[in-house]
Amino acid sequence: MEKFDVAVVGAGPAGSMAARYAAKEGATVILLEEHPRVGWPVECAGLIGWRALEEAELPSNKFILRSLRGAIVYSPNGQRVSFKAKSSRAWVIDRRLFDRALLLEAVRAGAELRLASPVRAIQRNHDDYSNVLRVGEREKIRARVVISAEGVRARLARKAGLGTAKLVLSGAQIEVPFQLEDPENVEIYLGAAVGLFGWVIPVEKDSARIGLCTTEKGCDSLKAFLNNDIIRRRLLGSPVGFFVGGLPLGPPKSTIADGLMVVGDAAGQVKATSGGGIYPGLICAKIAGRIAAAASMEGDCSAERLQEYDKRWRALVGRELEIGMRLNQLLTKMSNADLDEVIEYLEKRPDLMNIIINHGDVDRPSELMMKMLPRIGLSGIKLIRLMRYALG
């Protein structure tokens, strides 16, 4: 039976980063990926902010397809507000190339990769306080610490008795020839007709990714969204790609157990404002990799030792994820009339729009809200209440 200090299950962004950092700390690391290739299937809109790009620590940006500078936000009644910064604020990426780039850095750091290696079971060996993973039908691997980066299914976390994400949204997206209004702006659509929110993300000058996330069936909601007049009249052909996935929101009370750590989507470390998990996942994965390596080489992989991971990641991104959950809950409770009123108010306040342009951040929306709050007058009392609730 092969033995490693750390076994990472799942070679998505969080898994590759955790493996990379564990290997950099001197641990022997095995990275197990159930699929025969990395970056597939795609379950992401493929839009990241500058913070996520920075956290990826990649030597090349060949995975970037387009940069974006702003957004156009549509209220349910079709009213819109738009803003555009002077420099790029977000990037459209090819997730397959992005995931492979992260994986390559993990392998370069010393992690050993095994593709087509699904983990079927995990058993805690109390004699030497290690884990035995059954990989495929017959292979067994022993590891002192296992990092589960399996994604939304979180099978190992479930088997260990850890809680899972508080809410799983349904996401669906197509890539299609499309007439773009502005190739440097993402379009956001609010209201019950699109579920939580919908989007149009420019890919090339005449194509876009069109999708949404909702608490209901994503595919059915997407079909209705595509029939929206604003969208339908700009479709230039049939879809060339179709992607579906779950968006796990709200981390469980604990992300560790004896010999086990959970990271990324499997731990619900996903922004509830946008459904993006790359930025928080990479931050948490670095912490997980370092602590897993240290604990395994110390010979203490107990839950008490690994608790350091849970405390550290919550200190860095826990509050932001909680604010995101509050905003998510607000959006689901707001009526179409409420959303119309907020967009109309913002459209009449160029000073607030300038704050959004200068300080908008897809990864840290709380910082933007803190800058906006002092400038909102009594006429924006509804917006004040929304922000104060979200900020707690």
Side-chain angles (χ1 to χ4, degrees):
M1 185 185 303
E2 292 182 277
K3 297 181 181 180
F4 295 87
D5 293 322
V6 179
V8 181
V9 183
S16 290
M17 188 60 77
R20 175 182 176 182
Y21 266 68
K24 282 173 61 176
E25 295 295 319
T28 57
V29 181
I30 182 77
L31 178 55
L32 302 166
E33 168 57 43
E34 65 175 326
H35 297 104
R37 53 180 171 164
V38 170
W40 191 264
V42 176
E43 298 180 353
C44 171
L47 183 67
I48 63 174
W50 67 267
R51 293 179 189 269
L53 198 60
E54 190 175 80
E55 290 293 338
E57 300 178 7
L58 293 173
S60 170
N61 293 334
K62 292 181 179 179
F63 50 83
I64 292 178
L65 302 177
R66 174 180 292 279
S67 63
L68 302 177
R69 293 198 290 145
I72 304 171
V73 183
Y74 286 87
S75 70
N77 68 2
Q79 189 165 335
R80 47 178 276 172
V81 62
S82 62
F83 53 89
K84 182 181 283 190
K86 294 180 180 180
S87 59
S88 299
R89 291 302 178 88
W91 287 265
V92 183
I93 63 172
D94 184 319
R95 268 298 302 271
R96 291 168 293 183
L97 296 180
F98 181 72
D99 285 18
R100 290 169 190 169
L102 287 168
L103 176 62
L104 181 59
E105 293 305 308
V107 173
R108 283 176 174 162
E112 181 178 336
L113 172 67
R114 302 273 178 89
L115 295 173
S117 299
V119 174
R120 305 293 189 190
I122 181 173
Q123 182 177 354
R124 184 72 175 159
N125 189 330
H126 294 285
D127 293 334
D128 63 357
Y129 301 102
S130 65
N131 300 286
V132 176
L133 297 173
R134 181 164 64 83
V135 182
E137 297 304 320
R138 297 182 180 179
E139 184 180 9
K140 290 185 178 181
I141 291 175
R142 187 183 300 273
R144 290 184 178 275
V145 178
V146 173
I147 300 177
S148 166
E150 302 170 278
V152 64
R153 287 169 287 277
R155 287 169 290 195
L156 295 185
R158 294 176 188 274
K159 290 179 180 179
L162 298 176
T164 55
K166 298 174 183 177
L167 173 67
V168 178
L169 297 179
S170 176
Q173 174 178 269
I174 61 170
E175 189 164 323
V176 63
F178 192 72
Q179 180 182 340
L180 296 167
E181 178 175 340
D182 186 332
E184 292 186 307
N185 274 3
V186 63
E187 298 176 21
I188 304 296
Y189 294 81
L190 305 175
V194 291
L196 189 62
F197 60 87
W199 61 80
V200 173
I201 299 173
V203 179
E204 298 179 355
K205 64 179 181 179
D206 57 357
S207 68
R209 295 171 186 163
I210 304 176
L212 52 74
C213 64
T214 177
T215 55
E216 305 299 328
K217 296 180 180 179
C219 293
D220 293 341
S221 297
L222 179 58
K223 290 178 183 178
F225 181 41
L226 294 173
N227 281 323
N228 181 311
D229 286 342
I230 299 177
I231 301 296
R232 187 182 64 246
R233 59 182 172 81
R234 291 191 285 160
L235 293 171
L236 300 177
S238 302
V240 297
F242 175 61
F243 316 101
V244 295
L247 304 173
L249 308 180
K253 291 183 178 180
S254 177
T255 55
I256 57 95
D258 286 334
L260 177 67
M261 311 163 80
V262 188
V263 69
D265 284 14
Q269 293 162 342
V270 175
K271 296 175 296 180
T273 48
S274 66
I278 292 177
Y279 169 65
L282 291 177
I283 289 177
C284 298
K286 293 176 183 180
I287 300 170
R290 288 192 181 109
I291 293 175
S296 64
M297 291 187 289
E298 291 167 8
D300 181 4
C301 304
S302 65
E304 288 76 15
R305 174 65 180 89
L306 301 183
Q307 185 68 32
E308 181 186 354
Y309 160 68
D310 203 83
K311 291 179 180 178
R312 287 180 58 188
W313 79 252
R314 291 183 194 275
L316 284 177
V317 300
R319 181 173 181 272
E320 199 69 39
L321 294 179
E322 176 59 30
I323 288 172
M325 283 298 292
R326 286 173 171 264
L327 283 171
N328 177 283
Q329 292 164 2
L330 281 173
L331 281 175
T332 58
K333 293 178 181 178
M334 290 176 70
S335 67
N336 285 349
D338 291 332
L339 293 168
D340 291 334
E341 182 179 335
V342 169
I343 296 301
E344 181 180 1
Y345 177 79
L346 288 175
E347 197 272 335
K348 295 177 180 178
R349 291 291 305 272
D351 57 329
L352 294 180
M353 294 307 299
N354 283 332
I355 294 176
I356 294 174
I357 290 171
N358 294 323
H359 302 285
D361 189 336
V362 296
D363 293 318
R364 294 277 184 176
S366 65
E367 295 182 7
L368 174 62
M369 288 191 288
M370 290 296 291
K371 292 182 181 296
M372 290 178 65
L373 265 175
R375 301 292 297 274
I376 301 173
L378 290 177
S379 60
I381 191 67
K382 180 168 292 186
L383 188 56
I384 290 176
R385 288 173 177 170
L386 295 176
M387 287 186 174
R388 284 182 174 168
Y389 173 80
L391 292 169

